[in-house]
């Protein structure tokens, strides 16, 4: 069964509304990541976490917050959604160390902000 | 600035040909270079990775060639198959980057039968 799951899989939001994207992993990995994927930009890191209670800013954190309440769960929060945040969002988990540098991606969430 | 660059943005080859995907990077402290592939409507997944202790890594029909001096690497797909049609992302990481990867924008490969 899938080790990294995301919800919702599809979301339509209104400009100015709050959006929460959820991610759950059963890999028992310490690190979790949120990326967005847009044509011409590849995968860009928004926020990441080293473990429960930790969040770190990635390369494009503006307009996003993150929360890691437990080892398994990592959320991405858009407090005031804007149309520029329309994208596909991927969550990933992984551990860092000898031969353990693989990131495992969830199925993605398609977000449309109108 | 773009830390990891990929070229070409798209590539079409015939079945059986060798596809060559290029990647270059800026940060000389990068020491881990994975390639991820992504099929349409799916999520990225690790394909193959290399560390600078070697200049070549092979896994079946997929080979990474690494040139540390020029800060360049390439992915060769030999005997390309239609099932190899996907977007390929070069990524990089190192001690200065923490436990995170920097991805290139990807190369879309189409293998025609």
């Amino acid at each position: 069964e899938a080790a990294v799951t995301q919800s919702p899989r599809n979301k339509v939001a209104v400009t100015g509304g709050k959006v929460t994207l959820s991610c759950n992993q059963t890999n028992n990995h310490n690190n979790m990541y949120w990326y967005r994927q847009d044509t011409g930009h590849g995968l860009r890191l928004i926020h990441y976490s080293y473990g429960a209670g930790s969040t770190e800013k990635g390369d494009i954190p503006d307009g996003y917050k993150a929360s890691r309440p437990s080892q398994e769960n990592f959320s991405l929060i858009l407090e005031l959604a804007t149309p520029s945040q329309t994208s596909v969002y991927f969550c990933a988990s992984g551990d860092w160390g000898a031969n353990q540098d693989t990131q495992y991606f969830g199925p993605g969430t398609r977000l449309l902000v109108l | 600035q773009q830390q990891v660059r990929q070229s070409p943005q798209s590539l079409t080859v015939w079945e059986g040909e060798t596809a060559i995907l290029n990647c270059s990077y800026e940060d000389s402290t990068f020491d881990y270079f994975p390639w991820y592939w992504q099929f349409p409507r799916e999520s990225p997944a690790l394909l193959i990775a290399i560390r600078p202790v070697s200049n070549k890594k092979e896994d079946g029909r997929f080979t990474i060639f690494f040139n540390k001096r020029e800060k360049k690497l390439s992915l060769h797909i030999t005997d390309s198959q239609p099932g190899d049609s996907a977007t390929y992302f070069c990524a990089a990481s190192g001690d200065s980057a923490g436990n995170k990867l920097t991805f290139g924008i990807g190369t879309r490969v189409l293998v025609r039968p």
Side-chain angles (χ1 to χ4, degrees):
Chain A
E1 65 275 11
V4 182
T5 57
Q6 295 181 229
S7 63
R9 294 293 310 278
N10 295 280
K11 174 74 176 179
V12 179
V14 296
T15 297
K18 182 177 180 179
V19 177
T20 299
L21 306 183
S22 299
C23 178
N24 177 274
Q25 57 106 355
T26 58
N27 297 318
N28 198 32
H29 288 152
N30 289 320
N31 302 333
M32 295 186 74
Y33 309 84
W34 276 108
Y35 296 90
R36 62 178 286 175
Q37 184 173 31
D38 305 284
T39 302
H41 291 279
L43 291 157
R44 292 182 291 174
L45 183 65
I46 306 169
H47 284 288
Y48 61 107
S49 168
Y50 292 124
S54 109
T55 60
E56 306 289 336
K57 293 182 179 179
D59 300 320
I60 53 164
D62 294 345
Y64 303 93
K65 291 183 179 179
S67 174
R68 181 87 180 271
S70 65
Q71 178 83 339
E72 297 80 19
N73 296 296
F74 190 36
S75 297
L76 185 68
I77 302 141
L78 291 66
E79 295 278 5
L80 294 170
T82 68
S84 65
Q85 293 175 314
T86 293
S87 187
V88 179
Y89 291 85
F90 286 101
C91 175
S93 76
D95 269 338
W96 217 256
N99 300 318
Q100 292 184 30
D101 298 337
T102 302
Q103 291 190 16
Y104 297 87
F105 285 79
T109 294
R110 291 184 175 274
L111 174 64
L112 173 63
V113 182
L114 300 174
Chain B
Q1 72 280 18
Q2 213 173 352
Q3 292 266 26
V4 177
R5 291 188 174 86
Q6 289 187 248
S7 64
Q9 289 194 32
S10 64
L11 177 64
T12 300
V13 297
W14 294 102
E15 183 176 355
E17 291 184 335
T18 296
I20 299 176
L21 290 65
N22 300 304
C23 180
S24 64
Y25 60 98
E26 299 288 332
D27 190 336
S28 58
T29 68
F30 283 156
D31 62 1
Y32 174 64
F33 302 90
W35 287 81
Y36 281 73
W37 57 350
Q38 182 180 27
F39 297 98
R41 295 172 297 284
E42 294 189 12
S43 52
L46 179 67
L47 172 62
I48 186 172
I50 193 168
R51 297 185 187 276
V53 291
S54 62
N55 56 18
K56 180 181 177 182
K57 178 73 176 291
E58 195 169 350
D59 185 355
R61 297 182 294 104
F62 300 90
T63 303
I64 300 174
F65 294 92
F66 181 74
N67 185 322
K68 186 175 182 178
R69 183 179 61 84
E70 295 187 7
K71 293 191 284 187
K72 292 181 177 179
L73 54 159
S74 61
L75 176 68
H76 291 222
I77 309 173
T78 57
D79 188 24
S80 296
Q81 302 296 309
D84 299 332
S85 297
T87 299
Y88 292 76
F89 294 100
C90 175
S93 183
D95 284 344
S96 65
N99 297 357
K100 59 188 181 81
L101 293 170
T102 299
F103 285 85
I105 65 172
T107 294
R108 180 175 293 183
V109 175
L110 177 63
V111 182
R112 294 192 181 279

